[in-house]
Amino acid sequence: MLEANAVMLIDKRTIEFILTDQQEELEDRAKDIICYRCEEELVDLSSTQAQVVIGVRRSGKSTLCRQVLQSKDVKFAYVDFDDERLANIEVSQLNDVLEILYKIYGDFKYLFIDEIQNIEGWHLFVNRMLRKKMHVIVTGSNAKLLSGELATHLSGRNKEIPLFPFSFREYCDMKGVDIDKKTTKAEAFRRAAFDDYSRQGGFPELLSIKDNKNYVKNLVDNILKRDIEQRYNIAYKAAFENLAHHLLNICPAIIVASDLANIFHFKSDHTAKNYVDYLKKAYLLIGVKKYSQKSKVRSVQEKVYAVDVAMMDQRDNAFAGENLGHRLETIVLIHLMRKCKMSGLDIYYLNERSGECDFLVCEKNKVIQAIQVSYDISAEKTKKREIKGLLLAAKQTGCNDLLLLTDHENNLIQDSGYAIKVQPVYDWSLGLGL
């Protein structure tokens, strides 16, 4: 008779059936229409480090890894631990998984593992594979995969490759929209595509799904319940979910833990801080720190954004209008994150009594670009406010590269000895560099 706390292990025949199913699914997905993603260049298949592609669920991590492996024409084995049939697999059975993978795929030197963080103690297995000179490619949808287990147990033997939902450039590629031709017609098509992108967002599957709202609702629910509540044993689930939806409704927003604790009746500010941290680790929210030369100032008043504009209103009871300015700012931030991660740069926001600037791009401790985002600057008052923020950033940081991103204007403004470039976001976001 089994003891009360005994765990029923999955038998090897069942594991083989599941992994063979996954092999078939992988082969079927190879027929899908795909687009090139610049993060592919970051995956180094010759490295002895584990290549870790991490980001929000459904952002295309698996597809990117598969594209890289297939483009290099290497023989690899694949296992997806996000499969509900493997939900209760124990770390002690990972060697059985490896044995069955050899049986299915034959000899291989590349091992592709999806959502590895679902297995407690997975790092020991990956470490062993690296010692055996196996090239390991891993995906995960929780930052704890890197900040905790990887950093602690792999001792630097890992390379982080962040992936976000489709950029506008990738969206155009998938939609067949010409991004290079300089004609009135081509420009109009790009403009129309950006309007669609700013409403729909960049999750790859949304390009082929009509019921966007139900898709996003299920995605958010999955992240909240599966990636956060189960992983962190959230006691007050309803309050936590209300907090998550509240932040998605109001973002971009500066986090004040005491205010959140009061609104949702948490016992302490610490609980509110933890909950926000969990939302960021699951990549539902992206945080931007306040710019300051002082470390203690940078550690408070973080500003959070949704990881994609689809999260801002495509949910039940979101009760959100178009919020065109906030949507544009979110698109800019996510594209900046994509660019800066590729180049090793940091992003901050500036908020002073005398004014504010949406984004400061920094290389180490030097500000190399200041960016304001405003949907429409046709009103003189709005234009002056945005320019004031850029000039404040220039004077405080010594940065001369000033950019004002709008929905449609293209111009060059001279003010107080500074040149300010005005550019539409749809045009700016087609570029890969700063």
Side-chain angles (χ1 to χ4, degrees):
M1 182 180 292
L2 290 173
E3 297 179 13
N5 294 326
V7 177
M8 288 290 292
L9 297 179
I10 305 175
D11 67 84
K12 291 173 74 170
R13 285 181 63 85
T14 301
I15 294 174
E16 182 174 351
F17 182 82
I18 294 168
L19 297 185
T20 304
D21 266 1
Q22 292 184 358
Q23 180 196 35
E24 189 175 278
E25 292 167 11
L26 189 71
E27 290 172 352
D28 287 342
R29 288 203 297 270
K31 305 168 189 174
D32 293 344
I33 299 173
I34 55 178
C35 73
Y36 168 79
R37 307 194 73 174
C38 59
E39 289 84 359
E40 292 179 33
E41 300 299 324
L42 298 179
V43 182
D44 183 0
L45 294 184
S46 65
S47 174
T48 57
Q49 293 179 309
Q51 304 293 297
V52 185
V53 180
I54 192 160
V56 68
R57 280 186 178 273
R58 316 313 300 166
S59 57
K61 300 185 296 294
S62 302
T63 302
L64 179 137
C65 293
R66 176 171 54 79
Q67 286 179 209
V68 171
L69 287 161
Q70 290 177 341
S71 68
K72 300 297 183 182
D73 196 26
V74 297
K75 191 170 186 178
F76 66 94
Y78 170 70
V79 56
D80 177 12
F81 287 113
D82 208 32
D83 191 317
E84 79 284 353
R85 296 170 296 179
L86 295 175
N88 297 317
I89 198 166
E90 296 290 309
V91 67
S92 61
Q93 293 186 275
L94 290 181
N95 208 59
D96 292 340
V97 169
L98 182 64
E99 178 187 326
I100 293 164
L101 288 174
Y102 277 122
K103 181 178 179 181
I104 294 172
Y105 290 92
D107 195 16
F108 57 86
K109 294 295 183 184
Y110 296 84
L111 179 58
F112 172 19
I113 311 174
D114 249 343
E115 300 296 348
I116 185 65
Q117 80 276 348
N118 291 338
I119 310 297
E120 290 295 331
W122 60 270
H123 53 273
L124 299 172
F125 175 74
V126 170
N127 222 348
R128 181 159 62 89
M129 292 300 97
L130 293 175
R131 291 198 303 270
K132 290 168 66 71
K133 307 300 182 183
M134 182 74 74
H135 297 280
V136 182
I137 300 92
V138 172
T139 76
S141 54
N142 194 299
K144 190 172 184 289
L145 182 74
L146 288 165
S147 61
E149 288 97 331
L150 275 179
T152 302
H153 301 289
L154 297 191
S155 305
R157 298 185 68 190
N158 61 282
K159 179 182 179 181
E160 173 189 356
I161 300 152
L163 187 69
F164 297 92
F166 278 158
S167 67
F168 178 52
R169 186 188 189 95
E170 292 160 349
Y171 181 87
C172 287
D173 189 0
M174 292 297 290
K175 285 282 191 177
V177 176
D178 191 302
I179 63 172
D180 298 313
K181 194 176 293 184
K182 303 300 182 184
T183 66
T184 301
K185 183 178 180 180
E187 188 80 3
F189 285 175
R190 285 194 289 271
R191 171 73 261 185
F194 185 78
D195 287 346
D196 291 340
Y197 175 74
S198 65
R199 287 190 295 267
Q200 178 177 301
F203 284 101
E205 289 174 320
L206 288 180
L207 274 76
S208 57
I209 293 175
K210 292 182 179 179
D211 190 356
N212 289 12
K213 188 171 182 179
N214 189 58
Y215 176 88
V216 175
K217 172 191 177 298
N218 290 336
L219 175 59
V220 172
D221 285 348
N222 206 350
I223 293 171
L224 295 179
K225 298 179 189 299
R226 190 171 175 183
D227 293 340
I228 301 178
E229 291 174 3
Q230 289 183 18
R231 177 170 289 274
Y232 299 105
N233 297 316
I234 302 293
Y236 304 102
K237 294 180 174 60
F240 166 69
E241 290 173 17
N242 286 337
L243 165 68
H245 285 287
H246 171 70
L247 291 175
L248 288 172
N249 287 342
I250 66 170
C251 63
I254 294 174
I255 296 296
V256 181
S258 57
D259 290 349
L260 294 176
N262 288 333
I263 292 171
F264 297 100
H265 308 293
F266 298 142
K267 291 182 179 179
S268 69
D269 297 357
H270 186 66
T271 300
K273 290 178 182 176
N274 281 343
Y275 284 178
V276 172
D277 190 47
Y278 298 156
L279 293 167
K280 291 191 300 174
K281 283 182 176 178
Y283 290 94
L284 199 60
L285 297 177
I286 302 295
V288 179
K289 295 186 180 299
K290 184 176 181 179
Y291 175 81
S292 175
Q293 295 292 332
K294 299 178 180 178
S295 179
K296 65 179 182 180
V297 175
R298 295 196 301 273
S299 66
V300 297
Q301 295 185 24
E302 188 173 38
K303 195 172 186 179
V304 295
Y305 291 77
V307 72
D308 188 86
V309 292
M311 300 291 199
M312 298 173 72
D313 63 348
Q314 298 292 325
R315 295 170 291 108
D316 287 347
N317 303 313
F319 205 70
E322 287 190 297
N323 291 325
L324 297 175
H326 286 168
R327 298 177 82 82
L328 205 65
E329 188 177 332
T330 300
I331 288 171
V332 169
L333 181 274
I334 301 305
H335 196 56
L336 272 177
M337 294 290 293
R338 186 179 292 109
K339 289 181 171 186
C340 290
K341 288 290 185 181
M342 293 283 290
S343 307
L345 305 175
D346 297 310
I347 308 167
Y348 299 91
Y349 76 94
L350 180 68
N351 191 341
E352 304 288 349
R353 290 182 180 179
S354 55
E356 58 185 56
C357 184
D358 292 323
F359 304 115
L360 300 180
V361 179
C362 296
E363 186 173 25
K364 296 182 179 179
N365 63 347
K366 181 182 179 182
V367 178
I368 61 173
Q369 189 175 47
I371 300 173
Q372 284 281 58
V373 185
S374 181
Y375 185 81
D376 184 0
I377 59 169
S378 59
E380 193 62 27
K381 183 179 179 181
T382 303
K383 182 187 290 187
K384 285 183 178 179
R385 182 188 68 229
E386 304 300 338
I387 291 174
K388 179 183 177 184
L390 285 169
L391 295 178
L392 173 67
K395 291 168 184 175
Q396 284 208 2
T397 68
C399 174
N400 293 317
D401 187 350
L402 309 181
L403 178 63
L404 175 51
L405 294 170
T406 71
D407 179 62
H408 55 273
E409 290 203 34
N410 208 330
N411 200 357
L412 185 67
I413 298 173
Q414 298 287 343
D415 195 305
S416 305
Y418 292 94
I420 300 172
K421 183 179 181 180
V422 183
Q423 189 177 7
V425 173
Y426 77 91
D427 184 40
W428 170 83
S429 61
L430 290 174
L432 294 176
L434 289 171

